Amino acid sequence: SCNIILMPLGDKRYIVLSARVHPGETNSSWVMKGVLKFLLSNDPTAQVLRNKFVFKIIPMLNPDGVINGSHRCSLSGQDLNRHWITPHPVMHPTIFYAKGIIQWLVANKRKPFVYCDFHGHSRKKNIFMYGCRDPTGTKIEEALPRLLNATAPVFSLKSCSFAVEKSKEATARVVVWRELGVARSYTMESTYCGADEGPYKGLQIGTEHLEEMGYHFCTALEGLDELPSNPNMYDQEDASGVTQMPPGSEEDETSTSSCSTTDSDDSND
């Protein structure tokens, strides 16, 4: 049994999760399935997480695109993950209201502890994150990826990047970080392919591995909550395992806001 002291709703922090803004990235839905299965389970850690946090979860940000078989776009022919700055309630309704949820939380002093948008990647291997580098140098954005690297077999810290590219300024992770002030704002990328490091090296990633990633994501949230609030916690650590890409070089991420023929089929951020 797990003895839990129930926390009043008003004292709980918020975690916002979303997935499938790009319809073809079906692997993101399997990670989300793993998250939901774990959070709704009787596992003691799941009970602790439900007691500590309120989870706002949007499993599918682009249902019209999924239903109609699009790979990256909505019915309007646009990449919804390039319209988070000024989403239109008719042209981009799911983004308009998803952003509205986070805006409401921030306005009511319930700023999310973590925001993560689940994606798939068609060219890079492993599972990894894009975050947003804290300009004050606290490296707070590295804590969750480091926890995942220590616990999730298919996660790769070396593949993570915390660059904030101009071409990504209208994506979920950057807008939620820059405009709404959520320091731990991420894109989680899951490979279409396989792993090139760790215990799954040389293997194709299957649905069971993606669901497993959802489980490890949840357990890492508990670990993140237990970390000391030390702004200099990584100052003495070797960060060489984290990719520090120069401006303009964030690998493989497409930058156009429409789904024209210039849009790469790389499935990311």
Side-chain angles (χ1 to χ4, degrees), residues 16-32:
V16 181
L17 307 175
S18 58
R20 208 71 183 274
V21 71
H22 296 142
E25 297 171 12
T26 55
N27 45 359
S28 66
S29 286
W30 286 100
V31 176
M32 180 63 82

Side-chain angles (χ1 to χ4, degrees), residues 194-208:
D196 61 5
E197 60 181 85
Y200 297 149
K201 182 177 180 179
L203 300 178
Q204 173 68 42
I205 297 300
T207 57
E208 68 275 16

Side-chain angles (χ1 to χ4, degrees), residues 21 61-62 74 78-84 92 94-95:
V21 71
L61 277 168
N62 193 349
S74 66
Q78 295 177 306
D79 183 339
L80 294 180
N81 204 34
R82 297 298 183 272
H83 291 280
W84 273 78
H92 326 112
T94 55
I95 306 305

Side-chain angles (χ1 to χ4, degrees), residues 45-263:
T45 300
Q47 295 180 47
V48 170
L49 288 171
R50 293 196 302 266
N51 183 53
K52 285 184 176 182
F53 299 105
V54 175
F55 288 85
K56 299 289 187 180
I57 298 177
I58 309 167
M60 189 174 289
L61 277 168
N62 193 349
D64 291 341
V66 171
I67 291 169
N68 286 277
S70 299
H71 175 65
R72 192 172 179 90
C73 300
S74 66
L75 290 183
S76 65
Q78 295 177 306
D79 183 339
L80 294 180
N81 204 34
R82 297 298 183 272
H83 291 280
W84 273 78
I85 294 177
T86 54
H88 191 280
V90 175
M91 298 297 289
H92 326 112
T94 55
I95 306 305
F96 180 85
Y97 290 105
K99 184 179 180 180
I101 290 172
I102 304 174
Q103 288 174 317
W104 186 91
L105 291 172
V106 172
N108 286 275
K109 300 181 179 180
R110 292 177 170 85
K111 183 187 297 183
F113 181 60
V114 170
Y115 170 71
C116 190
D117 191 26
F118 298 153
H119 285 246
H121 204 291
S122 63
R123 296 177 78 175
K124 294 183 72 173
K125 295 181 174 65
N126 311 305
I127 298 177
F128 55 95
M129 282 178 147
Y130 293 125
C132 301
R133 176 65 70 201
D134 178 7
T136 66
T138 65
K139 299 185 181 179
I140 189 175
E141 68 285 345
E142 289 187 20
L144 183 56
R146 286 179 180 274
L147 285 169
L148 289 169
N149 190 64
T151 58
V154 73
F155 192 85
S156 171
L157 184 65
K158 291 191 297 184
S159 297
C160 294
S161 172
F162 301 95
V164 178
E165 304 297 325
K166 184 175 178 59
S167 61
K168 306 301 177 296
E169 289 181 345
T171 62
R173 71 173 170 98
V174 176
V175 172
V176 171
W177 168 73
R178 176 175 286 159
E179 181 181 330
L180 302 178
V182 178
R184 302 174 187 87
S185 181
Y186 303 99
T187 298
M188 178 181 280
E189 298 280 1
S190 297
T191 181
Y192 282 15
C193 310
D196 61 5
E197 60 181 85
Y200 297 149
K201 182 177 180 179
L203 300 178
Q204 173 68 42
I205 297 300
T207 57
E208 68 275 16
H209 304 110
L210 296 168
E211 288 193 49
E212 179 187 64
M213 187 67 235
Y215 158 78
H216 285 295
F217 179 83
C218 292
T219 57
L221 291 176
E222 187 193 14
L224 184 66
D225 184 55
E226 298 297 327
L227 287 176
S229 299
N230 180 2
N232 300 311
M233 61 186 303
Y234 296 121
D235 280 358
Q236 303 304 316
E237 294 189 19
D238 178 12
S240 61
V242 181
T243 302
Q244 305 296 336
M245 294 183 179
S249 65
E250 194 161 272
E251 183 179 350
D252 289 340
E253 291 194 339
T254 57
S255 60
T256 56
S257 62
S258 65
C259 289
S260 65
T261 56
T262 61
D263 215 8

